Amino acid sequence: MTKKKEIVFIVNPISGTHSKDEVPSLIEENLEKDHFDYQICFTEYAGHAAEIAKACAERQTDIVVAVGGDGTVNEVARSLTHSFTALGIIPCGSGNGLARHLCIPLDIKKAIQIINACKIETFDYGMINDLPFFCTCGMGFDAFISLKFAEAGKRGPITYVENVLKEGLKYKPETYEVSDDTGKKRYKAFLIACANASQYGNNAYIAPGATMKDGEMDVIIMEPFDALEAPQIAADLFMKTITNNSKIKTFRTKSLHIKRKGPGAIHYDGDPIMTGEEIEVHIEHEGIRILTNPDVIEDSGQPNFLLNAFSDFFNNINNVREDIGKTGHRILVINKVLLRKLSKI
């Protein structure tokens, strides 16, 4: 008889937008207990998930499942790097970037079925100034938006788009000195993002072509843009066309050194933190084992509910512009139309 695998579910009861009250019963009802022995641990304080996951890795627990949002996933995952223990995900957050990239269902029952299938693959992860990230990290406008998103009273795609459109126009670009194995270049940019996976979360694709298996990160440099270009950039994030935008420069590399004029914010998987003017980013190749969807190879690129809304909106945007006089009023109306369409989804 095959030995059962040991699973520890780490549940963050306050993360994301979903109540976790039903999680234990759903696990009990849907996990194949002929194949797994399990226990459920609820976190009690910041950093508790990392402590539990580290202890599991030290005793070579087969699987540790992060039940929560991107922050919880990052906290658990960073304790499992370069270990035997595999990461599982039951996404219960507002962004769910890694889960979406790996095509792990947002429905809890279906996510448990992925665990039952128990397909484990080895993936890359990234480091920014000794902080692990599994989806994206960044600075400039990128980190600024992460701060605004973290401060928002409500979470989800509408909040994200609203911050990009309204708050982003206030941000002043910085000058960065960027060095990799091809040499050194200077850029005036709104953001520099480094992507191990394809998206921030909420199906906002900053690097549509990124894969977690190539040993490289996609570097995205967004040049300054004016008020009229902001809605298109926001839409491109959701339509997986951001790399076609004229304001975007991209390249791939294993490591990167970035120097800016002074200290500022960076983010790792959406968590903002202040750091100095020197920033180091690199990829750790095949550094973490993760349970994946057996029916999909990373992001399948399936259309999402936001894509249709944005497509419809931009098909009619010229009609909106014709009816508006001044630039400031024009942007306000564009934003309202966009947010109204999103709120109806």
Side-chain angles (χ1 to χ4, degrees), residues 22 90 97 125 152 174 183 204 215 261-262 287 295:
E22 64 178 352
I90 295 180
Y125 72 95
E174 296 184 61
K261 291 184 178 179
D295 299 320

PDB file of all heavy atoms in Angstrom, residues 22 90 97 125 152 174 183 204 215 261-262 287 295:
ATOM      1  N   GLU A  22     -15.351  28.433   6.116  1.00  0.00           N
ATOM      2  CA  GLU A  22     -15.793  27.187   5.494  1.00  0.00           C
ATOM      3  C   GLU A  22     -14.639  26.307   5.031  1.00  0.00           C
ATOM      4  O   GLU A  22     -14.850  25.160   4.623  1.00  0.00           O
ATOM      5  CB  GLU A  22     -16.683  27.500   4.291  1.00  0.00           C
ATOM      6  CG  GLU A  22     -15.958  28.249   3.174  1.00  0.00           C
ATOM      7  CD  GLU A  22     -16.841  28.522   1.965  1.00  0.00           C
ATOM      8  OE1 GLU A  22     -17.964  28.016   1.924  1.00  0.00           O
ATOM      9  OE2 GLU A  22     -16.379  29.248   1.074  1.00  0.00           O
ATOM     10  N   ILE A  90      -4.443  27.419  -2.184  1.00  0.00           N
ATOM     11  CA  ILE A  90      -5.891  27.622  -2.263  1.00  0.00           C
ATOM     12  C   ILE A  90      -6.081  29.134  -2.237  1.00  0.00           C
ATOM     13  O   ILE A  90      -5.951  29.775  -1.198  1.00  0.00           O
ATOM     14  CB  ILE A  90      -6.641  26.945  -1.103  1.00  0.00           C
ATOM     15  CG1 ILE A  90      -6.492  25.429  -1.196  1.00  0.00           C
ATOM     16  CG2 ILE A  90      -8.123  27.336  -1.127  1.00  0.00           C
ATOM     17  CD1 ILE A  90      -7.206  24.668  -0.096  1.00  0.00           C
ATOM     18  N   GLY A  97      -2.132  36.425  -7.824  1.00  0.00           N
ATOM     19  CA  GLY A  97      -1.282  36.453  -9.006  1.00  0.00           C
ATOM     20  C   GLY A  97      -0.660  35.113  -9.366  1.00  0.00           C
ATOM     21  O   GLY A  97      -0.730  34.677 -10.515  1.00  0.00           O
ATOM     22  N   TYR A 125      12.075  31.204  -8.936  1.00  0.00           N
ATOM     23  CA  TYR A 125      11.566  32.337  -8.165  1.00  0.00           C
ATOM     24  C   TYR A 125      12.615  33.436  -8.211  1.00  0.00           C
ATOM     25  O   TYR A 125      13.746  33.221  -8.683  1.00  0.00           O
ATOM     26  CB  TYR A 125      11.220  31.938  -6.720  1.00  0.00           C
ATOM     27  CG  TYR A 125      12.407  31.666  -5.817  1.00  0.00           C
ATOM     28  CD1 TYR A 125      12.928  32.663  -4.979  1.00  0.00           C
ATOM     29  CD2 TYR A 125      13.018  30.415  -5.785  1.00  0.00           C
ATOM     30  CE1 TYR A 125      14.001  32.418  -4.143  1.00  0.00           C
ATOM     31  CE2 TYR A 125      14.088  30.155  -4.955  1.00  0.00           C
ATOM     32  CZ  TYR A 125      14.581  31.164  -4.138  1.00  0.00           C
ATOM     33  OH  TYR A 125      15.652  30.912  -3.307  1.00  0.00           O
ATOM     34  N   ALA A 152      -6.022  51.141  -0.043  1.00  0.00           N
ATOM     35  CA  ALA A 152      -7.404  51.277  -0.500  1.00  0.00           C
ATOM     36  C   ALA A 152      -8.377  50.643   0.485  1.00  0.00           C
ATOM     37  O   ALA A 152      -8.113  49.608   1.077  1.00  0.00           O
ATOM     38  CB  ALA A 152      -7.572  50.639  -1.880  1.00  0.00           C
ATOM     39  N   GLU A 174      11.211  58.762 -12.551  1.00  0.00           N
ATOM     40  CA  GLU A 174      12.568  58.861 -12.042  1.00  0.00           C
ATOM     41  C   GLU A 174      13.553  58.406 -13.109  1.00  0.00           C
ATOM     42  O   GLU A 174      13.182  57.766 -14.096  1.00  0.00           O
ATOM     43  CB  GLU A 174      12.740  57.988 -10.799  1.00  0.00           C
ATOM     44  CG  GLU A 174      11.899  58.392  -9.607  1.00  0.00           C
ATOM     45  CD  GLU A 174      12.210  57.525  -8.396  1.00  0.00           C
ATOM     46  OE1 GLU A 174      13.364  57.535  -7.929  1.00  0.00           O
ATOM     47  OE2 GLU A 174      11.297  56.812  -7.936  1.00  0.00           O
ATOM     48  N   GLY A 183      25.486  45.198 -20.417  1.00  0.00           N
ATOM     49  CA  GLY A 183      26.018  46.536 -20.200  1.00  0.00           C
ATOM     50  C   GLY A 183      25.132  47.402 -19.329  1.00  0.00           C
ATOM     51  O   GLY A 183      24.255  46.894 -18.613  1.00  0.00           O
ATOM     52  N   ALA A 204      -4.108  41.272 -14.373  1.00  0.00           N
ATOM     53  CA  ALA A 204      -3.382  42.420 -14.907  1.00  0.00           C
ATOM     54  C   ALA A 204      -2.002  41.930 -15.339  1.00  0.00           C
ATOM     55  O   ALA A 204      -1.126  41.687 -14.508  1.00  0.00           O
ATOM     56  CB  ALA A 204      -3.256  43.519 -13.850  1.00  0.00           C
ATOM     57  N   GLY A 215      14.606  30.289 -16.261  1.00  0.00           N
ATOM     58  CA  GLY A 215      15.803  30.786 -15.595  1.00  0.00           C
ATOM     59  C   GLY A 215      16.058  32.263 -15.791  1.00  0.00           C
ATOM     60  O   GLY A 215      17.131  32.765 -15.431  1.00  0.00           O
ATOM     61  N   LYS A 261      18.348  57.751  -7.784  1.00  0.00           N
ATOM     62  CA  LYS A 261      18.945  58.925  -7.143  1.00  0.00           C
ATOM     63  C   LYS A 261      18.885  58.882  -5.620  1.00  0.00           C
ATOM     64  O   LYS A 261      19.676  59.538  -4.946  1.00  0.00           O
ATOM     65  CB  LYS A 261      18.258  60.193  -7.658  1.00  0.00           C
ATOM     66  CG  LYS A 261      18.567  60.494  -9.121  1.00  0.00           C
ATOM     67  CD  LYS A 261      17.954  61.798  -9.564  1.00  0.00           C
ATOM     68  CE  LYS A 261      18.310  62.106 -11.019  1.00  0.00           C
ATOM     69  NZ  LYS A 261      17.703  63.380 -11.483  1.00  0.00           N
ATOM     70  N   GLY A 262      17.936  58.154  -5.069  1.00  0.00           N
ATOM     71  CA  GLY A 262      17.812  58.110  -3.619  1.00  0.00           C
ATOM     72  C   GLY A 262      16.936  56.974  -3.169  1.00  0.00           C
ATOM     73  O   GLY A 262      16.436  56.192  -3.988  1.00  0.00           O
ATOM     74  N   GLY A 287      14.003  26.690  -8.071  1.00  0.00           N
ATOM     75  CA  GLY A 287      14.241  26.774  -6.640  1.00  0.00           C
ATOM     76  C   GLY A 287      13.064  26.414  -5.755  1.00  0.00           C
ATOM     77  O   GLY A 287      13.209  26.400  -4.524  1.00  0.00           O
ATOM     78  N   ASP A 295      -3.945  19.888 -16.053  1.00  0.00           N
ATOM     79  CA  ASP A 295      -4.563  20.070 -17.367  1.00  0.00           C
ATOM     80  C   ASP A 295      -4.058  21.294 -18.113  1.00  0.00           C
ATOM     81  O   ASP A 295      -4.470  21.544 -19.246  1.00  0.00           O
ATOM     82  CB  ASP A 295      -6.086  20.182 -17.213  1.00  0.00           C
ATOM     83  CG  ASP A 295      -6.692  18.933 -16.594  1.00  0.00           C
ATOM     84  OD1 ASP A 295      -6.239  17.829 -16.945  1.00  0.00           O
ATOM     85  OD2 ASP A 295      -7.598  19.066 -15.748  1.00  0.00           O
TER      86      ASP A 295
END
